[in-house]
Amino acid sequence: MPSKWLKDTTRKSILGDFEITFIPNGINVNNYFPIPKEIARQVVGIPKNKYAILFVAQNLDDPRKGGDLFVKALEHLPSSLKNDLVILCLGTGGDIIRQSIDLPLIDLGYVSGDRLKALVYSSADVFVFPTRADIFGLVLLESIACGTPVVSFDVTAVPELVRPSITGLLAKPEDPNDLAAKIIESLEDNSLRVQMSQNCREIALAEYSIELQADRYISLYRQVIDAF
């Protein structure tokens, strides 16, 4: 199972009598890594002296993704912050988001290359992931590996990656007001954001490299073989 939450949930199901192993997904930390922010922002086209929020908009019709909560949270931001803010949008839903908000938006569309995505993650001050449910969240890991803190909801497996005041901030589920408050905190507390950025990269290297994932699977396979 890729998350402790999914492992615990499975234990409560009809599969609970079986042996269940937790092995988190890994990432190529050589492809996803922090790129100097000034360089990344210049390439992406982020104006100077602007905060940049990254949002991945793949399917805004999917209520699980929480796009509606993201839009509502932006509405609750103070005008003083909105004046200093730009939204980065990855995915195919940028046009819909643009029509729903009154903020500058850079629509990057679909980006497939890992290095290009690392550039985008690195250019953002914070990644907002307003999911209502997720068993792991690979985009969370991509952001963290690039040293970009995450603001999300305290739901399902999200807290395993988004650790409060360590790799990001968590809002109350289904509460766009609290999500807005966490966005404000992440942007306005510069020292906290810098520390979280450093923590993100360190945790990605220590816990989520693709090599470590492979080692865990090899160890599991050996245990299964030895049991016969």
Side-chain angles (χ1 to χ4, degrees):
M1 298 293 175
S3 65
K4 296 176 183 177
W5 172 83
L6 186 58
K7 178 181 178 179
D8 292 341
T9 301
T10 305
R11 276 179 172 167
K12 300 173 185 177
S13 73
I14 60 174
L15 301 175
D17 292 335
F18 293 93
E19 182 70 24
I20 303 171
T21 302
F22 161 60
I23 298 180
N25 292 330
I27 194 170
N28 188 331
V29 293
N30 294 317
N31 286 344
Y32 289 92
F33 62 97
I35 297 171
K37 194 166 293 293
E38 288 187 5
I39 295 175
R41 289 172 64 94
Q42 183 176 2
V43 173
V44 174
I46 300 171
K48 293 182 178 180
N49 302 319
K50 292 283 188 180
Y51 292 117
I53 291 178
L54 176 62
F55 173 68
V56 176
Q58 291 291 356
N59 183 2
L60 297 180
D61 293 328
D62 183 351
R64 184 174 59 86
K65 299 296 184 182
D68 58 318
L69 297 172
F70 176 63
V71 170
K72 290 177 181 177
L74 294 179
E75 293 173 352
H76 291 297
L77 298 180
S79 298
S80 57
L81 181 57
K82 288 183 179 180
N83 293 333
D84 296 328
L85 190 61
V86 61
I87 306 299
L88 306 179
C89 194
L90 267 181
T92 56
D95 287 340
I96 299 176
I97 287 291
R98 190 190 302 276
Q99 296 169 13
S100 304
I101 64 175
D102 59 350
L103 290 165
L105 183 143
I106 299 176
D107 186 0
L108 300 167
Y110 175 73
V111 176
S112 60
D114 290 343
R115 294 297 180 91
L116 287 176
K117 285 196 285 185
L119 184 74
V120 175
Y121 284 116
S122 298
S123 71
D125 293 292
V126 63
F127 172 42
V128 177
F129 186 68
T131 185
R132 285 183 165 94
D134 208 295
I135 63 172
F136 181 79
L138 184 59
V139 290
L140 295 178
L141 186 51
E142 292 173 349
S143 182
I144 289 170
C146 293
T148 301
V150 181
V151 173
S152 187
F153 288 113
D154 187 2
V155 294
T156 56
V158 172
E160 295 177 35
L161 285 170
V162 186
R163 304 170 189 178
S165 297
I166 299 176
T167 59
L169 298 172
L170 292 173
K172 300 173 185 176
E174 296 287 335
D175 190 340
N177 287 319
D178 196 34
L179 184 64
K182 295 302 188 292
I183 292 173
I184 294 169
E185 181 180 357
S186 69
L187 294 177
E188 295 188 343
D189 192 335
N190 184 65
S191 60
L192 174 63
R193 189 174 67 256
V194 170
Q195 183 60 58
M196 290 193 300
S197 176
Q198 181 178 335
N199 295 340
C200 282
R201 181 59 180 175
E202 291 175 354
I203 287 173
L205 291 173
E207 301 180 30
Y208 295 104
S209 71
I210 196 70
E211 292 83 5
L212 183 55
Q213 181 189 12
D215 288 343
R216 288 165 170 159
Y217 272 106
I218 291 172
S219 177
L220 174 60
Y221 296 153
R222 285 175 174 165
Q223 291 177 30
V224 172
I225 292 171
D226 291 344
F228 283 96

